[in-house]
Amino acid sequence: MSAKCGCGVRPDPVVAGEGPFLGVGRSLTGRTWAARPAEADLVRRHQSALGLSEPLARALASRGVGPDEGEIYLNPTLKAQFPNPSSFRDMDRAAEVLVDALVKERAMVVFADYDVDGAASAAQLVRWMRAMGREVPVYIPDRVTEGYGPSPAIFRSLKEKGADLVVTLDCGAAAVDALAAAQEIGLDVVVIDHHLMRPGEVPPALALVNPNRPDDNSGQGMLAAAGVAFVLLAALNREARQQGLFKDRPEPDLRQWLDLAALGAVCDVTALTGFNRALTAQGLKVMSRWANPGLKALADIGKVSGNATTFHAGFILGPRINAGGRIGRSDLGARLLATDDPAEAALLAAQLDELNGQRKAVEQAVLDEAVAILEADRSYESAPVLVVSAPGWPPGVIGIVAGRLRERYRRPAVVIGVDTAAGVGKGSGRSQPGVNLGAAVQAAFEAGLLLSGGGHAMAAGLSIRPDRIADLADFLAARLGEDQARAAEADALEVDALITPRGTDRALLDAFARLAPFGPGNPEPVFAAASVRIERPIPMRGGHVRVTLSDSAGGRLKAVAWRSEDTPLGQALLAGGVLHVAGRLRADDWQGRASVELEIEDAADPRQAGTL
C-alpha cells in the first residue's frame, strides 16, 4: 500500500503471498494473520477507473470485484440488478394464487418462522395486502411447544378455524408431511422459502417458491426469505396490474418496504453479493428514514439514530426482534414489523427489549455452564467438533451459545438442551468455513442417530434421544475431522490495511465505508496496528475489555474487545504492554465527538509473532 494514499494507513510490511502479516504466525486466538490477497494489476485498474486511493482499490480487488464491476459495486442499484420474478420457479403461479385469493376474498393465513427473517417476510406480505384493502392474520408457531415450521396438526387446526389458504414464509419447503396433510384435508398452501431442499424432493403445494429448490434456475440462492418475499411483491404488483386492480387504487410503492427485506438479509447472515447486496444497500437507506413504526420504536430503545448500518440491523434491532421467538411470545416480532400504530409499536418494542434482556441472562448462564462442562474434560482440545449437552437448556438460546463456542474455540459446535421429561434433546450447531455441518447432521439423521436433523453448511438443527448424544459426537468427529483440520490450517485473519492510532480518524472510516454493506461475501474491513502500547485497560460488565491504544507519535485510539475477559486475548489486554492488534473500526459519536474506536478481534505479542 502506498504511504501517500491520504487514507491514514501505513505501507504493508508484508504483502499477500510473502508470509504472515506483521509476522503473526499464531495470534492470541490461535490464528495466522494474512494480507487479504489482491491482484496488483486489478488494484491499479480500480485506482485509475474509479479514482480510488490505493488501499481502497486494494480492498475492492480483494473482494473479487472485476475491472468492469467496480462502479456498480460501490453504487449498487435495484434497477441494474433486480431479477425477473418469472425466473423463480413457481413465482408467477404464487402471484396468481394470491391475487386471486385477494379478489375472491378467500380466508387466508400468513404462516411464518419465529426469527427475524420470518417476521420481516410476513410483515411485507401483510403490508402489501393491507395496501390492497385486506387485513390478513399471521400465525407464528411457538418454538418450544410447536417447533419449527408447519406440521400436520397446525394445518388441521388452521383448517378447522376456517382457513382456506395458507402462505408459509421462511419455512415449509421441507415440510413434506405437513404439505401432504394439507393436500388431504383440502387446505391450499403457497410456500415462500429459501432453505436447502433434498434433491428430487418437492412436496405438494399450489406453488413452492424457493431459489434453493433443486429445479430453480433463478440464480438467487443467496437470498433470505425476506428477499424472496420482496421479489414476490414485485410479482404481485405485476399480476394485480395485469388484472386491472389499479384502475381505482394506487399501485403499492414497494420501495417503502425495502427496510424489511434488508433486515432479513442481514439477520439471516446471507451472502451480500449481486442482487442481495443491492437489496440490502437500498434497504438500509430506507431503514435510515425510520418510517416503519416498529423499527423506529426499537431504534429509540437501542439509541440508534441517523443512517442505519448492517451493525444496527444485526446487533441492535435483530436480537430484540428475535427475543420474542426465543424466550417469549413468538408472534411479537411479526406484529411489531407489521403495525402502523406508533403506540402499539412502542409497547411491543418495550416488551421485546425486556425479553432480550432476559435472553442475554439465560444465554450467559448456558454459555458459562457449557464452557465449564467442556473444560472439565480436556478431551475438547482435540475434538474436531464440540458437542455439549445438559438438561434444561432452553431451545431459544442454544443456537446463540453454539455460535459463541464456535468463536471461542475456533471449531464447529453443537449445543443440546435435554428435556428429561420428554426424553428428547433439542440441538443447534454452528460451523466454520470449509466444514459443512448441515450435511453431516443430515447424514447422522439418515444413519438413524437422530429423530430429526438438517440445515446448511454453517448451521444445523436436530433432535435426538439423550442416550445417542455420545454416538452423535463420535459420528461428527469421524465425518468432519479431516475437513476441520484443513479449515483450522486455513483459519487466518485477513487484514485489509495497517493503521496507526495517530492516523486513524473518521475520514478513514468513511473512505472504507464505501464498500458497505458488509456481511458474508463482502467482509467488513479488518485493520491492524503494529506494536501499539495498551493503556488504561478496564474490565467491563459483561466480560468486555476496554483499552486505549497509543503509538510513539503520541496518537491514541479507543478500543474494546467484546466478551474477552476470560480469554487469552482479554488477559493480554488487561496485562498491558505492547501488542499487535487487529479489528474493525466503528463510529464513536458519543457526546458529538465524531470519532472512531477499534473493536479488537485479535492480538499478538510482537516478541513471539515477529517484528517490523
Side-chain angles (χ1 to χ4, degrees):
M1 293 182 183
S2 168
K4 299 178 180 180
C5 67
C7 265
V9 300
R10 295 172 56 188
D12 288 348
V14 178
V15 296
E18 296 180 4
F21 193 94
L22 292 178
V24 178
R26 185 172 179 81
S27 69
L28 288 168
T29 65
R31 285 179 285 178
T32 297
W33 290 7
R36 204 180 299 277
E39 296 180 10
D41 181 63
L42 183 56
V43 173
R44 287 191 292 269
R45 293 181 68 175
H46 282 323
Q47 279 187 270
S48 175
L50 303 170
L52 303 179
S53 67
E54 194 271 353
L56 192 56
R58 177 178 292 274
L60 194 64
S62 71
R63 283 154 178 77
V65 181
D68 301 320
E69 299 170 344
E71 179 60 36
I72 196 169
Y73 199 87
L74 295 175
N75 300 288
T77 65
L78 292 178
K79 182 177 180 180
Q81 297 179 276
F82 203 100
N84 183 346
S86 299
S87 66
F88 291 73
R89 187 65 180 256
D90 274 5
M91 183 69 83
D92 291 343
R93 175 60 175 155
E96 291 172 5
V97 171
L98 294 181
V99 172
D100 180 72
L102 173 70
V103 172
K104 295 181 179 177
E105 299 184 355
R106 297 181 68 191
M108 194 185 329
V109 174
V110 169
F111 183 107
D113 189 17
Y114 33 63
D115 68 359
V116 175
D117 194 23
S121 302
Q124 288 181 73
L125 186 54
V126 167
R127 287 181 171 280
W128 188 87
M129 287 288 179
R130 183 180 298 151
M132 297 298 291
R134 177 82 180 275
E135 283 293 333
V136 180
V138 176
Y139 188 96
I140 311 290
D142 183 271
R143 182 190 294 264
V144 176
T145 62
E146 296 177 301
Y148 167 79
S151 67
I154 293 175
F155 275 166
R156 280 193 284 270
S157 175
L158 292 175
K159 178 68 174 179
E160 290 170 1
K161 293 176 181 177
D164 189 34
L165 170 66
V166 174
V167 186
T168 71
L169 293 143
D170 195 28
C171 58
V176 178
D177 294 341
L179 290 173
Q183 190 176 49
E184 290 176 5
I185 62 177
L187 177 65
D188 288 339
V189 181
V190 169
V191 175
I192 310 295
D193 203 350
H194 73 127
H195 290 97
L196 297 177
M197 299 173 64
R198 297 176 188 172
E201 185 175 82
V202 180
L206 282 184
L208 195 157
V209 181
N210 182 349
N212 286 306
R213 64 181 278 178
D215 55 351
D216 183 275
N217 297 314
S218 66
Q220 299 297 331
M222 80 294 290
L223 291 177
V228 182
F230 191 81
V231 178
L232 172 66
L233 300 192
L236 290 172
N237 263 9
R238 186 173 64 183
E239 178 65 23
R241 192 182 311 119
Q242 291 172 353
Q243 293 196 25
L245 300 188
F246 299 135
K247 292 179 180 178
D248 301 318
R249 71 168 69 244
E251 182 171 330
D253 184 352
L254 305 185
R255 292 173 297 180
Q256 64 185 308
W257 303 318
L258 277 168
D259 51 1
L260 298 173
L263 184 70
V266 172
C267 294
D268 228 49
V269 200
T270 58
L272 299 185
T273 59
F275 166 60
N276 198 38
R277 173 178 165 76
L279 189 73
T280 303
Q282 298 304 318
L284 289 172
K285 291 179 182 179
V286 173
M287 190 183 295
S288 299
R289 301 171 193 156
W290 304 110
N292 181 294
L295 291 178
K296 175 65 165 62
L298 280 184
D300 289 344
I301 286 176
K303 295 179 172 57
V304 176
S305 60
N307 293 334
T309 66
T310 53
F311 174 79
H312 296 135
F315 293 96
I316 297 179
L317 305 178
R320 289 173 168 84
I321 296 170
N322 267 333
R326 295 192 185 282
I327 62 172
R329 287 181 51 187
S330 58
D331 66 340
L332 292 179
R335 288 172 56 197
L336 177 80
L337 297 180
T339 186
D340 287 323
D341 181 353
E344 181 185 21
L347 179 62
L348 291 170
Q351 289 179 266
L352 287 168
D353 185 59
E354 182 178 354
L355 289 171
N356 191 51
Q358 297 174 22
R359 186 271 305 168
K360 288 181 180 178
V362 173
E363 172 199 324
Q364 188 61 50
V366 173
L367 177 61
D368 290 344
E369 189 175 353
V371 169
I373 292 171
L374 287 170
E375 298 193 351
D377 177 6
R378 306 302 295 185
S379 63
Y380 83 90
E381 295 175 347
S382 59
V385 180
L386 303 177
V387 179
V388 60
S389 64
W393 286 348
V397 302
I398 56 175
I400 301 176
V401 173
R404 298 279 187 253
L405 295 177
R406 181 263 174 277
E407 293 172 4
R408 184 184 183 107
Y409 297 107
R410 313 298 305 172
R411 70 194 76 177
V414 177
V415 178
I416 302 172
V418 177
D419 184 336
T420 53
V424 175
K426 294 290 182 67
S428 186
R430 297 294 182 269
S431 194
Q432 66 191 112
V435 183
N436 192 330
L437 182 61
V441 167
Q442 179 63 40
F445 170 70
E446 293 170 354
L449 291 176
L450 306 176
L451 299 173
S452 64
H456 53 77
M458 298 297 289
L462 59 90
S463 60
I464 187 173
R465 295 295 181 194
D467 59 358
R468 304 304 303 273
I469 293 176
D471 296 333
L472 173 65
D474 292 340
F475 181 92
L476 294 177
R479 186 176 180 89
L480 297 176
E482 292 184 3
D483 289 346
Q484 200 280 326
R486 285 191 293 269
E489 189 174 338
D491 185 19
L493 178 65
E494 293 190 317
V495 180
D496 288 278
L498 187 67
I499 59 174
T500 63
R502 184 176 184 179
T504 303
D505 55 18
R506 197 58 166 261
L508 173 64
L509 177 64
D510 292 344
F512 277 83
R514 294 187 64 188
L515 300 175
F518 302 118
N522 182 39
E524 186 172 358
V526 173
F527 299 91
S531 299
V532 291
R533 182 164 296 281
I534 309 301
E535 298 180 348
R536 304 179 209 167
I538 301 173
M540 300 169 61
R541 183 178 179 181
H544 316 309
V545 176
R546 183 171 290 283
V547 299
T548 297
L549 310 178
S550 67
D551 59 24
S552 58
R556 282 177 168 73
L557 177 64
K558 291 172 57 178
V560 62
W562 304 114
R563 297 183 298 273
S564 65
E565 184 177 3
D566 62 347
T567 69
L569 171 61
Q571 292 300 306
L573 292 172
L574 288 170
V578 175
L579 294 173
H580 297 329
V581 299
R584 296 169 174 81
L585 291 175
R586 291 277 181 265
D588 178 14
D589 294 326
W590 178 250
Q591 295 182 335
R593 59 170 55 103
S595 185
V596 294
E597 71 173 10
L598 184 73
E599 289 189 350
I600 299 174
E601 180 173 337
D602 204 357
D605 187 334
R607 296 168 299 179
Q608 299 174 6
T611 58
L612 288 172

